[in-house]
Amino acid sequence: MSNDMVLQKLEGGLLTITMNRPERKNALNPDMVAGLVEAARRAADDPEVRAVLFKGAGGSFCVGGDVKSMAAGRAPLPFEQKLANLRRGMEVSRILHQMPKPVVAQLDGAAAGAGLSMALSCDLRIASESCKITTAFAKVGFSGDYGGTYFLTQLLGSARARELYLMSPVLTAREAHAIGMVTRVVPDAEIDAAAHELALSLAQGPSIALGFIKRNINNAERLPLEDCFDGEAIHHTRCGDTEDHKEAAKAFVEKRKPTFRGA
């Protein structure tokens, strides 16, 4: 499906997904949401994709839903239709979070509302120094969507999630890093290169093992201890039969850097 609002570029096993409404700071509208769900499904299903870089065009990540469009006075849809549309769009966060491939979010400009929720669904978040980060929902009379309350509670605990949702402060990148929302902060001029380098390093890593690592951590969010132990044992044993593990062991003996092929 062609969608100019969501750009996709696959190179060296890394799929870069770019939200492309820079004139609206990549605010979400129905066409962009449909493109994001399609891109996320492609990332999950395409065996050529080994990692994902998720970013926004024009120096901003995503400010959330297009509030200006929401207030345009269009004929309201029935509740059931609005609910179905929203739930369908929210699949992008579920797919990015659950697929067995690492996902890096590049946060610059602003990450707010559903934009922040999508970023929180990713595995790693690298932010530019000047990026502003906020849940934003309470300020526009919404309770939250795209999984933000789930991901933030899992990441920081319920007390911090309540603070960030109920009070909706605007955090600097450094403040977000200090409480664990952001993985790394870099100067504005370095964000493109730093995010790409991090995501590409994951794409060039032992893909099967990285996928199992992600699955183990996702299991830990919802399963009891014994089930997590079983999952770790199964995944670890399966990794032992991969070519990547054999290459890593050989490289260790030969004192060189391994070359992983995702097999």
Side-chain angles (χ1 to χ4, degrees):
M1 180 180 73
S2 175
N3 190 324
D4 292 339
M5 293 186 184
V6 179
L7 307 180
Q8 301 181 48
K9 179 181 179 182
L10 177 60
E11 188 174 17
L14 175 63
L15 180 66
T16 300
I17 300 173
T18 305
M19 294 174 282
N20 189 37
R21 291 187 76 204
E23 74 284 356
R24 298 290 300 139
K25 295 185 178 179
N26 302 313
L28 299 172
N29 69 5
D31 288 338
M32 177 182 278
V33 169
L36 286 173
V37 174
E38 187 273 336
R41 286 184 176 141
R42 182 258 178 108
D45 296 340
D46 188 343
E48 298 298 315
V49 176
R50 298 174 60 181
V52 175
L53 174 60
F54 187 29
K55 61 187 289 190
S60 191
F61 182 68
C62 175
V63 294
D66 193 337
V67 178
K68 184 177 180 180
S69 176
M70 294 176 196
R74 294 174 298 180
L77 295 172
F79 174 82
E80 292 77 9
Q81 186 62 56
K82 289 191 289 186
L83 178 62
N85 289 347
L86 178 58
R87 187 62 185 83
R88 186 163 51 245
M90 289 168 61
E91 281 294 281
V92 62
S93 292
R94 183 192 65 78
I95 296 168
L96 292 176
H97 184 67
Q98 291 184 345
M99 70 178 184
K101 301 173 185 182
V103 184
V104 176
Q106 175 183 322
L107 308 185
D108 41 4
L116 176 60
S117 299
M118 292 188 297
L120 292 170
S121 78
C122 300
D123 301 297
L124 302 171
R125 286 156 294 281
I126 182 166
S128 64
E129 191 82 46
S130 66
C131 184
K132 297 294 187 287
I133 297 170
T134 179
T135 59
F137 291 108
K139 293 181 179 178
V140 292
F142 278 126
S143 56
D145 57 19
Y146 282 71
T149 52
Y150 172 85
F151 297 123
L152 203 55
T153 301
Q154 292 288 343
L155 187 65
L156 302 180
S158 63
R160 184 70 79 174
R162 291 171 201 274
E163 174 189 341
L164 295 175
Y165 265 85
L166 294 172
M167 299 172 63
S168 196
V170 177
L171 304 179
T172 66
R174 292 290 177 189
E175 289 171 334
H177 180 263
I179 62 173
M181 287 179 72
V182 167
T183 310
R184 185 187 307 169
V185 179
V186 300
D188 290 3
E190 299 175 15
I191 182 64
D192 285 323
H196 185 268
E197 180 182 3
L198 174 59
L200 186 60
S201 71
L202 293 168
Q204 294 173 344
S207 299
I208 295 173
L210 296 182
F212 282 146
I213 288 170
K214 184 168 177 176
R215 187 171 298 174
N216 288 340
I217 294 170
N218 286 347
N219 284 345
E221 293 176 343
R222 60 185 181 86
L223 296 179
L225 180 62
E226 289 297 327
D227 290 340
C228 289
F229 273 26
D230 289 342
E232 281 192 349
I234 291 168
H235 299 152
H236 186 90
T237 303
R238 286 180 176 169
C239 285
D241 293 329
T242 63
E243 294 302 315
D244 279 346
H245 167 69
K246 295 172 186 176
E247 162 63 8
K250 184 178 179 183
F252 178 81
V253 172
E254 296 174 356
K255 295 182 171 56
R256 60 174 174 82
K257 184 177 179 179
T259 301
F260 296 116
R261 303 188 185 280

